[in-house]
Amino acid sequence: TLMGVLNDYKASRYKAWVDSMEALDSMMLQARLDRPLMRRVDRNTGTERAVSVNKNKGKDNFLECNFDHGLLSMFSEVQYWEKFQGEFSIPYVAHDVCNQREKLRVMREHVMLVVRAYNAILDDLSAEERRLFSDHIRKVDKRINQGLQKLTWITKGVIEHYVKDCCAHCEEIHIIVRRFKQGKQKILRECRLMSALLLVRIDKNAIYDECIFESKQAAHRMEIKHSLQRSHQTAQQELRDMFVNFCDGTSEVQREWRELIKEVDKQIEHALRQSVKRSLQELSRAINGDAKSEPQTLFSIKIVLENGRIDYKPTMINLTHVVNIVAKELISTIAVVSRLRETLLANSEEARPIEDEDPGLPSERHQSFYSIISNDEDMLKIVVQIMNGMSSTATELQKYLGYWEKYKPIWEMDKEAYIRRYAKANRSLKNYNDDVTKYKDQQAEIQQEPMSHLINFVQLDCTVLKGHLMAHCQQWQQKLLGLLNQSASQGLDYLHDLFADNSNTLRSPPATLEDLSSNIKILHELQRNSSAIEAKIPPIDDMYATLIKFDVQVAAAELLQLQELRPAWKDFLAMLEESRHALDKSKVNMKRDLEASLDSYSQQVAQLRAKVLIGIPMSQELSPDEAHSIIDEFKQHIGALHHRKSGLEPGLEIFNIEPPDHEELRDTERDLELAEQIWSLAGDWTGLFDRWKKRRFNELEICEMETGAGQFNKKVAKLGRDIKRWSIWEQMRTKITEFMQTLPLIQDLRNPAMRPRHWDSLKNELQREFDETS
């Protein structure tokens, strides 16, 4: 049966166990307890290492409870056989040892406290960290070595104290280790924070102006600098706190500490490198785009019209400069992070070169994070990509400017000069209409142009340019319509002034013949040109209709004048007819006055002729000035007669009467002209003769005197054909003839052969004394 089989199996197993126990005696079991409490094992190989007193050996091996596994098996067997409640008896040897089972279990638990505390320290440390904590581990090893070498499971009275002491030391070291690990994790977290920082801030769906972008980036860089400084200071403080536990360490510990600082520097450098690279890539992605996205709309640039040319504001040169500065300043942000070796080891006595550092390599102490990263080839490539994107965009922007060149004549042409030429050319109303319509259509075309245009990362704002161009179109319309309004107003004023002035003139009764003649001329001229005047009215109406068509605000006074123009023209025609009848009546009355004036004029001419024949200066007794005074008086009378004659001419023309032609008046004018000539010659001769008289006798120029006298003689002889009977002429002829006759005598007396005796003989002959040298 099943129970029989089970009983047989239990009996066979019990017999095998008893047989194995019979080979043991009490001394052998006790000997198994006489072994060290713990031993070292290599977890990597799973083999036990020999325990050595040498401190440097086995220091990296974990501890293990060194209780005999056979005894543990026996304890387990006894425990399970006892469960049969006396069915199977326990051998004495086993029973004797099992009586210590609980005591040994407690000892094992105490020993395991040390094992677990010690192994926990090693578990938390890497191989490099164990080298850094070698001094601390060595101190713990000194405490634990008793359990590895001296203390056994049969040692009495000291194991509890030993375990307590070892656990306390292990806990103390483990606290330092945990704090160290927490510090490293905090430093690593700060490095991750540094790595995650973006040194450039580009908000999605945000479009920047030049100054706003630069200022926002500057503010963002300040925030990033503060974040970097905080992370750097945190890392420094954590390392300083760690160093408290290693400051008194051996050279090996100090070396490992420097290696730790170097490793943290590398972590920070890597974090900063990643931050700079990601930031530059972010800026490059916004400007150039990538395989998955188009360039981000980043900047807004206005297209403006300044100084007669279209340009961007800000210009691409300025924008490129801003982006270049932002890229450079982006990298320079990390300059606030210094190397930990410089700050933590600079003033330390332990700040000496690392033994295994290659002396041929440049010392990192002289290369900051900024200098290394800013010269990194990958960073420079990204910066070049950014600048290439700016350059290609600048080229496309320059091409886009050509699109607006079609409107160039609108702003380039000199409006004032063109309007002056336009006014001089006296263009037709159709020209005005066509030109204004052209600029109105261009204004509408410009209005339809898009408000913005996108080129890569730049959004072009065309609002300002469109405003400028439309303003130019409006100026052209205003100037053309202003010129048209001016022409219409001038034409309107001209007609109203023509009606008013001529009406006032023709309605005033003529007081004189001049007034009558003027009014008749005005009337005839207006009647002859009435058709031309009337033809000026429709063009003026058309001009104002065109002005109203183009929504020009015409002055109310002008509109009133326009409404009154045609009624005024009808009134003007009626006035002309009335004036014609009035002037016909005036002509009848003034003809009698004209005939009386002609008779009076003829009498004055005859009277003046008689006075001139009597009073004209012919006598030699008058001086030239007196003669000229008389002649001028007679000329004034002649001028008065001419003035009166000119006053009669309009009336003569009105009545078709031949103007009077008095021969007496012409004879009088001729006589006065001859008198003026002869008396002018007399005065000139007297003056010339007086100059000769005042010269010294021996200084007289005979040739000059002979020539002058000959010229005067010819002029006097020429006048003799008309005034031979005048005494002044006879006197002049005699004086000049006598003078010319004395010239040979004067020439002889000036002969150099004349001696004083000759002059004395001449004085005796003349019976007069004179000075021949005077």
Side-chain angles (χ1 to χ4, degrees):
T1 63
L2 177 61
M3 290 301 298
V5 172
L6 290 176
N7 290 330
D8 292 341
Y9 176 76
K10 289 190 293 182
S12 64
R13 294 302 303 168
Y14 176 75
K15 183 177 184 304
W17 177 64
V18 170
D19 291 341
S20 65
M21 290 297 298
E22 288 177 353
L24 298 175
D25 56 16
S26 177
M27 293 302 295
M28 291 180 64
L29 291 176
Q30 290 296 325
R32 290 189 177 189
L33 293 176
D34 189 15
R35 59 192 304 173
L37 298 175
M38 295 173 291
R39 63 179 177 177
R40 292 190 182 274
V41 294
D42 190 345
R43 284 190 177 179
N44 294 328
T45 61
T47 59
E48 179 182 353
R49 295 189 56 175
V51 178
S52 173
V53 181
N54 192 330
K55 296 179 182 180
N56 293 326
K57 290 185 179 181
K59 64 180 179 181
D60 290 335
N61 295 105
F62 290 82
L63 293 181
E64 185 180 67
C65 181
N66 196 23
F67 195 82
D68 186 76
H69 291 285
L71 290 178
L72 288 176
S73 297
M74 185 186 69
F75 291 159
S76 179
E77 289 285 343
V78 169
Q79 180 182 2
Y80 286 111
W81 289 119
E82 286 178 346
K83 290 183 181 295
F84 288 100
Q85 298 179 354
E87 182 180 353
F88 299 99
S89 61
I90 305 300
Y92 174 78
V93 175
H95 190 275
D96 185 43
V97 174
C98 286
N99 288 335
Q100 305 178 45
R101 180 173 56 188
E102 182 61 23
K103 174 184 175 184
L104 293 174
R105 184 190 67 77
V106 173
M107 291 178 64
R108 285 201 310 274
E109 290 298 329
H110 281 87
V111 170
M112 285 305 297
L113 290 176
V114 177
V115 170
R116 282 192 291 269
Y118 184 86
N119 289 345
I121 295 173
L122 297 184
D123 280 333
D124 287 346
L125 296 175
S126 65
E128 295 79 7
E129 291 170 345
R130 291 172 193 172
R131 290 196 293 270
L132 178 64
F133 278 85
S134 60
D135 286 352
H136 296 81
I137 295 174
R138 192 176 296 115
K139 291 178 181 178
V140 175
D141 287 344
K142 287 181 180 179
R143 298 280 184 178
I144 292 175
N145 277 340
Q146 287 185 344
L148 293 172
Q149 298 173 6
K150 296 180 180 180
L151 298 178
T152 65
W153 296 102
I154 58 176
T155 304
K156 296 180 180 180
V158 296
I159 292 180
E160 292 80 2
H161 177 73
Y162 164 78
V163 169
K164 185 177 180 180
D165 182 62
C166 288
C167 286
H169 280 80
C170 285
E171 180 62 23
E172 181 182 347
I173 300 302
H174 201 187
I175 290 173
I176 296 174
V177 170
R178 283 197 297 269
R179 288 178 181 174
F180 172 80
K181 298 297 286 187
Q182 290 171 359
K184 287 192 68 175
Q185 287 298 319
K186 197 168 184 179
I187 292 172
L188 182 60
R189 185 168 58 253
E190 295 299 332
C191 290
R192 288 172 181 167
L193 289 176
M194 290 183 188
S195 177
L197 290 175
L198 276 178
L199 309 182
V200 61
R201 180 178 180 179
I202 301 176
D203 299 328
K204 287 190 176 181
N205 302 323
I207 302 176
Y208 300 96
D209 290 334
E210 171 193 14
C211 298
I212 294 178
F213 181 75
E214 192 172 6
S215 61
K216 278 187 174 294
Q217 298 311 314
H220 180 67
R221 287 195 299 272
M222 289 301 298
E223 295 177 3
I224 294 298
K225 285 182 180 179
H226 293 323
S227 298
L228 290 174
Q229 287 173 336
R230 284 195 299 270
S231 296
H232 187 251
Q233 289 170 358
T234 300
Q236 282 184 336
Q237 188 59 45
E238 289 298 326
L239 289 172
R240 288 193 179 97
D241 293 342
M242 292 180 190
F243 187 64
V244 172
N245 299 309
F246 308 107
C247 58
D248 297 328
T250 62
S251 60
E252 179 185 3
V253 171
Q254 295 300 321
R255 177 179 176 280
E256 292 301 325
W257 174 253
R258 290 194 295 273
E259 287 294 333
L260 175 64
I261 298 293
K262 182 178 178 182
E263 182 63 27
V264 174
D265 265 347
K266 288 181 179 179
Q267 293 175 359
I268 294 176
E269 179 181 336
H270 178 74
L272 294 176
R273 189 186 302 274
Q274 290 298 316
S275 176
V276 172
K277 187 173 183 179
R278 288 177 56 250
S279 301
L280 289 174
Q281 287 174 339
E282 182 73 12
L283 184 58
S284 178
R285 189 180 303 109
I287 292 175
N288 299 309
D290 55 19
K292 296 181 180 179
S293 61
E294 296 293 327
Q296 179 179 340
T297 304
L298 194 59
F299 293 106
S300 175
I301 295 181
K302 293 180 175 63
I303 307 181
V304 297
L305 179 62
E306 290 183 348
N307 301 322
R309 61 188 294 267
I310 295 178
D311 204 350
Y312 294 112
K313 190 173 184 181
T315 64
M316 273 306 293
I317 295 176
N318 294 340
L319 200 59
T320 302
H321 178 70
V322 168
V323 173
N324 190 23
I325 291 297
V326 168
K328 290 182 178 178
E329 292 295 328
L330 176 154
I331 301 174
S332 68
T333 305
I334 65 173
V336 299
V337 181
S338 59
R339 284 195 173 275
L340 294 174
R341 294 185 66 192
E342 299 294 332
T343 55
L344 296 178
L345 302 180
N347 299 320
S348 174
E349 293 181 355
E350 291 79 8
R352 52 188 177 274
I354 302 174
E355 289 79 352
D356 58 353
E357 189 174 48
D358 187 352
L361 296 176
S363 174
E364 291 184 355
R365 296 186 61 181
H366 303 292
Q367 287 185 323
S368 64
F369 295 133
Y370 168 70
S371 62
I372 293 174
I373 296 174
S374 61
N375 294 315
D376 185 82
E377 185 176 352
D378 292 339
M379 308 302 170
L380 296 177
K381 285 181 180 178
I382 300 174
V383 172
V384 170
Q385 289 177 1
I386 294 171
M387 291 299 104
N388 288 341
M390 297 296 295
S391 178
S392 62
T393 301
T395 303
E396 293 186 39
L397 289 175
Q398 197 62 34
K399 291 179 181 178
Y400 180 71
L401 289 182
Y403 173 79
W404 296 94
E405 290 295 317
K406 59 184 179 180
Y407 301 113
K408 192 172 184 179
I410 295 176
W411 76 78
E412 193 173 47
M413 192 181 301
D414 187 344
K415 297 180 183 61
E416 298 298 333
Y418 180 82
I419 292 298
R420 287 195 296 269
R421 293 194 300 271
Y422 205 92
K424 290 180 181 178
N426 197 19
R427 302 291 181 91
S428 65
L429 182 60
K430 184 178 183 304
N431 294 133
Y432 279 97
N433 188 77
D434 293 344
D435 290 341
V436 173
T437 302
K438 178 184 73 173
Y439 287 112
K440 199 172 187 67
D441 293 342
Q442 283 188 331
Q443 180 180 350
E445 182 182 352
I446 294 169
Q447 181 70 33
Q448 295 301 318
E449 295 286 354
M451 301 294 291
S452 62
H453 185 73
L454 190 62
I455 296 180
N456 294 338
F457 62 93
V458 176
Q459 178 177 286
L460 300 178
D461 185 358
C462 307
T463 307
V464 177
L465 177 61
K466 288 177 61 177
H468 287 160
L469 294 178
M470 288 192 291
H472 279 285
C473 290
Q474 291 170 356
Q475 289 174 16
W476 277 113
Q477 296 174 54
Q478 290 169 1
K479 289 185 178 297
L480 289 170
L481 292 172
L483 180 60
L484 180 61
N485 194 2
Q486 181 182 354
S487 299
S489 177
Q490 289 175 351
L492 190 61
D493 290 340
Y494 168 76
L495 290 179
H496 277 287
D497 291 343
L498 178 70
F499 299 160
D501 294 343
N502 288 303
S503 296
N504 293 334
T505 301
L506 295 177
R507 283 172 177 166
S508 299
T512 62
L513 286 172
E514 290 85 354
D515 294 341
L516 179 62
S517 175
S518 174
N519 288 358
I520 291 174
K521 287 182 180 179
I522 291 172
L523 179 62
H524 290 168
E525 183 71 21
L526 292 173
Q527 288 176 336
R528 185 169 60 253
N529 296 331
S530 61
S531 299
I533 295 172
E534 186 176 10
K536 293 179 182 294
I537 297 176
I540 292 177
D541 289 336
D542 294 340
M543 288 181 186
Y544 278 102
T546 301
L547 291 173
I548 294 172
K549 168 187 171 184
F550 289 111
D551 301 326
V552 177
Q553 295 295 325
V554 181
E558 290 185 45
L559 294 176
L560 181 61
Q561 283 184 311
L562 183 64
Q563 293 174 0
E564 296 174 349
L565 183 59
R566 290 191 179 275
W569 169 245
K570 292 180 180 180
D571 295 342
F572 184 69
L573 291 177
M575 183 275 302
L576 291 180
E577 187 63 25
E578 293 173 1
S579 298
R580 185 178 66 80
H581 293 296
L583 289 175
D584 288 342
K585 292 179 182 179
S586 298
K587 285 170 65 176
V588 175
N589 296 328
M590 288 193 173
K591 187 173 182 180
R592 293 190 297 268
D593 296 339
L594 177 62
E595 291 173 347
S597 297
L598 282 174
D599 293 340
S600 174
Y601 171 74
S602 298
Q603 291 176 5
Q604 287 181 344
V605 171
Q607 291 172 2
L608 179 61
R609 179 60 181 167
K611 289 180 181 180
V612 169
L613 290 175
I614 296 172
I616 193 169
M618 303 178 187
S619 174
Q620 59 184 357
E621 297 176 355
L622 297 173
S623 66
D625 291 338
E626 293 173 342
H628 280 298
S629 177
I630 295 171
I631 293 169
D632 290 341
E633 184 178 356
F634 283 129
K635 281 189 174 183
Q636 290 177 1
H637 289 298
I638 291 175
L641 288 175
H642 281 299
H643 179 69
R644 184 171 184 185
K645 181 182 178 182
S646 63
L648 295 174
E649 285 177 354
L652 297 174
E653 183 179 355
I654 294 171
F655 299 109
N656 295 323
I657 300 175
E658 291 292 331
D661 185 16
H662 296 285
E663 188 176 357
E664 295 94 337
L665 186 59
R666 291 196 299 274
D667 292 342
T668 300
E669 290 176 337
R670 182 174 58 81
D671 290 346
L672 290 174
E673 181 66 25
L674 293 171
E676 188 172 21
Q677 291 180 13
I678 190 63
W679 280 106
S680 295
L681 287 173
D684 294 342
W685 172 258
T686 301
L688 183 60
F689 190 76
D690 289 342
R691 287 200 301 274
W692 288 339
K693 288 195 303 182
K694 292 178 181 180
R695 291 183 182 177
R696 304 178 71 84
F697 184 73
N698 57 359
E699 294 178 355
L700 292 174
E701 295 291 339
I702 301 301
C703 292
E704 177 187 346
M705 296 168 66
E706 187 175 8
T707 301
Q711 292 175 351
F712 273 94
N713 189 42
K714 287 180 182 179
K715 293 178 181 179
V716 171
K718 185 176 179 181
L719 292 175
R721 292 194 293 269
D722 297 313
I723 58 173
K724 281 185 178 182
R725 294 187 301 275
W726 291 13
S727 60
I728 181 59
W729 184 85
E730 290 291 344
Q731 181 189 14
M732 281 295 297
R733 181 65 180 270
T734 302
K735 284 182 179 181
I736 294 173
T737 303
E738 290 177 353
F739 178 75
M740 292 180 69
Q741 290 174 352
T742 59
L743 283 177
L745 175 61
I746 295 174
Q747 187 171 6
D748 290 340
L749 292 175
R750 292 185 69 253
N751 194 325
M754 288 289 289
R755 298 292 184 263
R757 64 177 182 277
H758 299 145
W759 288 106
D760 293 340
S761 174
L762 182 59
K763 292 175 184 178
N764 292 330
E765 185 66 27
L766 295 175
Q767 296 183 356
R768 284 188 67 179
E769 287 292 332
F770 58 85
D771 184 4
E772 65 276 10
T773 62
S774 63

